[in-house]
């Protein structure tokens, strides 16, 4: 597991501030799944299972919307390789 250093500047990030509460929560949870290169799987069902394991009622559509919101606020790059969805911080 890579070591993460979270800087104080996250509190003043305009990109994070522009996100909904759910998208920001998703950002922090997804960050803990990233590898040393800042990449992680971004398939909504995998993200839901890894980031929100105890939220059985959370809909895949909400996770997908959160991922898109993070992308739209320049916090993630989303891409596909073959049939796999990935995110890069």
């Amino acid at each position: 597991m890579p070591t993460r250093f979270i800087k104080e500047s996250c509190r003043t990030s305009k990109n994070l501030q522009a996100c909904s509460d759910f998208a920001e929560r998703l950002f922090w949870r997804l960050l803990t799944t990233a590898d040393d290169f800042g990449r992680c799987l971004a398939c909504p069902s995998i993200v839901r299972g890894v980031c929100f394991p105890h939220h059985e009622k959370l809909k895949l559509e909400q996770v997908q919307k959160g991922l898109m919101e993070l992308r739209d606020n320049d916090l993630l790059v989303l891409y596909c390789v073959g049939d796999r969805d990935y995110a890069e911080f």
Side-chain angles (χ1 to χ4, degrees):
M1 181 74 163
T3 301
R4 303 279 181 249
F5 294 100
I6 299 173
K7 308 252 185 208
E8 300 84 20
S9 60
C10 70
R11 295 189 305 259
T12 58
S13 168
K14 290 182 180 182
N15 299 64
L16 268 177
Q17 185 65 36
C19 292
S20 66
D21 289 342
F22 176 77
E24 183 176 351
R25 197 164 66 240
L26 176 59
F27 174 84
W28 295 113
R29 290 179 184 219
L30 198 59
L31 187 64
T32 67
T33 72
D35 66 14
D36 288 338
F37 302 101
R39 297 183 191 119
C40 58
L41 291 170
C43 172
S45 60
I46 293 173
V47 170
R48 181 180 64 183
V50 171
C51 294
F52 300 97
H54 298 294
H55 291 55
E56 294 88 11
K57 295 181 181 178
L58 181 62
K59 296 187 183 318
L60 292 179
E61 294 80 20
Q62 187 175 0
V63 174
Q64 181 67 33
K65 183 179 175 187
L67 289 167
M68 295 298 125
E69 190 175 340
L70 294 173
R71 180 204 61 199
D72 294 345
N73 285 294
D74 297 322
L75 293 164
L76 281 182
V77 173
L78 298 174
Y79 63 97
C80 290
V81 176
D83 63 346
R84 310 270 291 184
D85 296 325
Y86 295 92
E88 182 177 1
F89 287 91

